[in-house]
């Protein structure tokens, strides 16, 4: 692994699958919870493959116009301006649609012709049809753990992607991440992982999501910066997870057991 | 069948029905699930008949203005610009409205005068009435398998179309498709079809849709590219179909039985 | 009946009622299911009376601005452009609002002053009041068979119209239509009508609408063009009516009984 | 009563109440069903008092901007254009808001300062405050018979109006109206009123509204024009009231009893 | 009390509370039903304190842009135009937001910085921060009697205001108001108050609101103008309060008992 | 603590946590009820750290465009104008998003890249990527006490913040605040705190929120200004908390017990 690559610790065969998808030009969907490293993985793969990365955080108001482009007025002229998706297709970049299920339907439909045998993008408004660059790859992420009421991806969209599940890393990998990112000692790192795993196993607390690696890293940073460990864990792990006073107390008790 | 035609394997009498509809200028509705080859069939027929194809993926925000055209400002002038539907009507193309039931009501109403004895398009905003070109044919697709809550097509729209059901191809046809598109050996192709059919028959899994030919092709491509068969099937077939951990395990077990 | 008139077969006293409504300048509402000949009847009457016909297919987004007119920018000037309703009122045409209940409320309110003793149209935006031309007549259609949830017409609107019910024509009239439009032999026509009536009487199938004359005509056209009768009936009558596999089989069995 | 006045037959003390409201500058609300003569009454009173009448049919999209006015672009200038309400306030007219409860909330709020001791109109966008002309009177109508789900008028709006109920006229008044408007003989008029009253008393039919005087007049006009009485009553009275086949038959039986 | 002040009869210690709030620059919320004199009270206090009054009737579409200001195009320039709230803050006026709970959320948020220790208004679009003038005071009204479904004020907004309840005035005050505004004799005024109080106590009628002083004043005006008392009370009090025929009859009986 | 700092009384270790978060560039979320001093705390910390503070009160219509910036037309040029978030990122300020959960989803998504290892802001429309200034810190507030139906923050957003709970201050701190802000004597201050705590403990009253320190300060100001204590408490504490007459009476009884 080259030194210039951004820091990323693989937790399975995700690098291999990504490389074959890229080679066969098959769109890729990463499924997994908050903070499981999906965004970092994409950054790492883009750097490893030497391809530019264009990231879009999708939300309820992301529309095709935002992604494809629009006419803007320059002086007396009306000029077409490529949006980020069009740029990626034209110039050959990895386009990362983070939380694709949040985007508006016209966004999702806009990728249909890009994700089948055609690999073309239609710009109706600009009256242009673009063949995707050889280096273009569409990658999307999706959090299947969201409870009912959150948007689903339609099967007619899902079946257009090779898919991989992401989950929190195994303890030894997580320890390496913690030491690398927060700069803490192994001893503190192990305690944080112990705390993280205790929380992840406490299904009876009814948390909508559980402690991601990110929370452990944040706590580590504060400890490293001199804030007392218990207070660091309270503000970086406990308080972000819940507002319920009884659950907060239960989690603080857990913290006191570890630190 | 000429060599220049795009690859398409007929699975019934769909070519015959299309040709008569085209001849009698009767609009056509293709009903069927994701990945059953509707889009490919249209591409094939357009090439076979030597008529241009204009495809529109409909979605919740597809409106008549997008399809019919609009005034744009060019320098000091306001100029009318035909939309794709108007272009197809005027110049004689096959207009393919993919997933028509998703489009907004004004889109669907805009086709009324095109789909009865009048075969005319009214451009209210441009104050123009266009007689459809002899080669114009309207084709639409619709996925009736979507569960309740998805939009229905009104009978006053449906009764304007000749309709055909599409389904997954028979095994011998699917094998030929797999070998042709993924470049795999017959042996691997047969195993993939065996796996596909096992999944299609597992009604008790409660999948909202089942394995399309496209998923089998994707798995084939990854195997051909050197990814191990079990991992290929997991990321190309199992993970796209579901997020439920128990169902994923059941499908992975099925994969292990076959490969 | 003159030769230049478009083809229309009266099925009751609708011609007489239309003529008296036109004479007394009373707006007319045609109620009836899909494909029962309402649009054709209007075309026929407009031609018979020698008055221009302006047709509007109403939908959820038809608004008063679309019908009344708007200001557009021409060079440096802002110019008023009459919409189709204003044109009809000003120049004396029959204005046909197809499926009026679908239109937005401002559309329906815009016709109020046109449909009472005033017979005037107010263009608030253009600051103009137009007395309706002597030849102006407002005709609307409405499908009362749509199930609950579909929009109703308010009584304050309904009571402004003379109203007539349309239904499918009696067998002898339908036969003449079939022969005239599809060019088929009496023998085939009679079988299609037999099939149509069997389907219309099968209340237990739970179809939301039943086989219109239009579907029989389409089947006739395909048969005339050489497609086998059973396949013609399947794609022109059975598949448009339903997506339910069991109902499709039941209808195909009916077809086999007749052909 | 002068000869130039439009035709109106008073059915109670409504003229007296209107004149005192006008004199004391108290806004007036007319409550009553479809076709009970509210619009005619306003036209009559405006003519009687010699004041201009400006009528607005309110609907779900009537907004304050439509009524108050807006800036429009004329050449290089932006010019303020009074809306109909502003015009009425400034120049002294009767402003008739038909079905006020349908209008959007900003419309209803716009009239607040006009309907209390201030009698002023605020044009925020034009930065102007207009004292109402001495002849300005606000009159509104409202149909309280609409079933639940229809919009209600808030009490903070209602209590700003003097209110009167309108209902169908007594038989002798209705006969005079019928003869005057349809030009029919007393004999036919009496039968129509007999039919109208029979329908009005048939509560068990569950009609959402009942036969207004307008329907009787329309039937009278068709009879006078030569259409047979039973057919005239069917298309002018029965069909406008309902789409239900059994109710239609019941009403046609009623017609046969009378004619 | 000076002669130039608008007519207002205090009913409690509201003048004192208003003066201290103004002195301490504490925003004020007036709570109370329709027609209880809130608007008059504000007019009176503004005149008494010699401060300009700017009134806004809030509704579902009142947005921050309407209140804060906007850019408008003047010739070739884009010029900022203060909205009424900005004007009040800059120049020192009492800003009265009538029915504040009806306004859109961005309106309510816009007042946050004005109603705490900052007393500043932020104009994001104009990139300006305005310190409130010493004479600026924000006053709002709110009708808490509205039934469920009507909008509530959030506590984070309510706790920013000093609040007072308004109710109908005591009999002796109400009599003075009646005589002063309608010009009627004491005898008639007492009867109207007797009628008003009878209606206010008839909880069993289920009226959504009850007879405000305004209704009594309107009846008094009509009586003074020569309309018979019973008819005056019917059109000015009974009909505005309800559309229910049985309740109308009960209220008319009450009127007959008094007059 | 320097004299130039705005007045703020710490109630826990919040200053310490803020300083470490700022040092480690970790975004901060303040959770707590109305009037618990969150806004003041941010003002204090910004002054203490010598960093500019940019505050945004979020609401249902706060969108990314408002925060990021937009193109505006200046003469003949289209010029980009930074919004407040972009300004804070570029120039190094504390950006305070008050009630972040109220903002529209595109706002919340816009902060994603700012709140992870990237610390970058993407301006899609301006085609610019800004590395956050070293002094940039994102701080947000959130009121978790709001009942169901109010918007929640998604975990994928929450886990990006260090979080702290705010609550009402302990009695000795609150007394100091009261004396400092309202200028009242200790004696009056203690009575107000006694009243506040009684109300906070009256869970059985079912108040949606309880008396904040702000309400006590307002009452203190009025008392200091000469309004009688009971009346001051009624208009500054009791009436803001509820509209229910029985609860108002209960709270007034409490006031009478204390004063």
């Amino acid at each position: 692994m080259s030194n210039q690559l951004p820091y990323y610790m693989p937790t399975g065969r995700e690098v291999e699958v990504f490389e074959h998808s890229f080679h066969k030009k098959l769109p890729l969907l990463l499924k997994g919870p908050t903070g499981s490293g999906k965004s970092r993985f994409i950054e790492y793969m883009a750097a490893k493959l030497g391809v530019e990365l264009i990231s879009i955080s999708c939300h309820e108001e992301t529309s095709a116009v935002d992604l494809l482009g629009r006419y803007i007025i320059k002086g007396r002229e009306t000029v077409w301006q490529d949006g980020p998706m069009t740029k990626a297709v034209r110039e050959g970049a990895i386009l990362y649609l983070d939380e694709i299920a949040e985007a508006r339907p016209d966004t999702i439909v806009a990728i249909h012709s890009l994700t089948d045998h055609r690999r073309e993008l239609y710009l109706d408004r600009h009256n242009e049809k673009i063949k995707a660059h050889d280096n273009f790859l569409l990658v999307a992420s999706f959090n299947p753990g969201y409870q009912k009421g959150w948007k689903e991806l339609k099967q007619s969209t899902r079946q257009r992607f090779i898919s991989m599940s992401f989950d929190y890393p195994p303890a030894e990998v997580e320890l390496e991440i913690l030491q690398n990112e927060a700069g803490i000692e192994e001893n503190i790192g192990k305690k944080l992982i112990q705390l993280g795993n205790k929380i992840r196993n406490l299904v009876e607390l009814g948390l909508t999501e559980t402690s991601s690696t990110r929370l452990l890293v944040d706590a580590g940073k504060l400890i490293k910066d001199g804030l007392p460990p218990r207070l660091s864990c309270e503000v970086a792990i406990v308080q972000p997870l819940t507002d319920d006073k009884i659950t907060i107390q239960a989690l603080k008790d857990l913290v006191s057991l570890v630190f």
Side-chain angles (χ1 to χ4, degrees), chain A:
Chain A
M1 218 176 287
S2 133
N3 270 345
Q4 291 94 313
L5 290 184
Y7 175 71
Y8 177 74
M9 278 292 295
T11 65
R13 302 178 71 175
E14 66 267 30
V15 174
E16 203 178 339
V17 171
F18 194 106
E19 284 172 337
H20 283 284
S21 293
F22 183 74
H23 188 225
K24 299 302 283 183
K25 302 184 197 321
L26 294 170
L28 202 64
L29 181 72
L30 310 183
K31 310 189 294 184
T34 297
S36 53
K38 301 186 295 287
S39 298
R40 291 234 172 182
F41 171 57
I42 303 294
E43 282 185 47
Y44 171 77
M45 289 307 304
K48 190 159 189 291
L49 293 165
V51 179
E52 192 192 354
L53 172 65
I54 296 179
S55 294
I56 308 287
S57 294
C58 300
H59 55 79
E60 293 172 30
E61 284 156 12
T62 305
S63 71
V65 167
D66 297 330
L67 298 188
L68 297 180
R70 68 184 82 219
Y71 283 103
I72 58 165
I73 297 174
K74 278 215 174 150
R76 300 209 160 196
E77 295 291 299
T78 311
V79 188
W80 173 262
Q81 189 181 50
D82 277 355
M85 182 184 280
T86 306
K87 194 165 172 288
V89 170
R90 208 190 285 282
E91 301 173 8
I94 292 174
L95 178 70
Y96 179 41
L97 298 178
D98 196 9
E99 304 228 21
I100 191 178
E102 303 288 315
R104 285 167 69 152
D106 61 341
T107 305
I108 291 171
V109 153
I111 65 173
H112 275 198
S113 61
L114 270 176
T115 50
D116 57 24
H117 63 285
R118 291 172 283 178
R119 268 181 68 89
E120 289 173 343
L121 184 64
Y122 298 106
L123 301 176
D124 287 349
R125 285 165 190 252
H126 194 221
N127 215 1
E128 189 185 357
K129 186 189 286 190
I130 312 175
K131 271 278 169 209
H133 187 285
D134 255 21
N135 275 349
F136 171 73
L137 185 72
L138 180 66
V139 186
S141 78
F142 172 59
N143 186 339
Y146 282 163
Q147 58 270 60
K148 296 270 171 67
W150 289 101
K151 289 153 190 158
E152 260 295 342
L153 269 186
K154 281 166 61 177
Q155 280 287 333
S156 59
T157 301
R158 288 183 64 135
Q159 298 208 3
R160 292 163 179 278
F161 290 89
I162 300 296
S163 305
M164 286 192 288
S165 282
F166 268 68
D167 214 333
Y168 303 119
E172 63 282 8
V173 177
E174 199 161 36
L175 178 59
E176 199 182 315
I177 295 173
L178 271 174
Q179 289 184 273
N180 194 305
E181 296 213 20
I184 50 176
E185 293 162 35
E186 185 177 332
N187 168 34
I188 299 286
K190 279 190 172 158
K191 282 187 173 172
L192 284 171
I193 288 168
Q194 190 187 344
L195 176 64
N197 286 334
K198 274 187 201 293
I199 295 175
R200 290 169 190 163
N201 291 329
L202 275 174
V203 198
E204 60 272 29
L205 286 181
L207 297 169
T208 52
E209 275 192 50
T210 185
S211 173
S212 66
T213 305
R214 179 187 288 151
L215 295 191
L216 304 184
V217 169
D218 285 353
K221 284 179 175 175
L222 291 177
I223 292 169
K224 174 77 185 176
D225 201 49
L227 201 69
R230 287 192 183 178
L231 183 54
S232 297
C233 290
E234 188 194 331
V235 299
I237 301 175
V238 175
Q239 292 278 1
L241 283 174
T242 181
D243 304 320
D244 181 68
K245 290 194 174 171
I246 293 168
T247 313
I248 286 173
Q249 194 50 56
L251 291 173
K252 282 171 75 172
D253 291 350
L254 260 185
V255 171
S256 307
L257 281 178
V258 175
F259 286 99

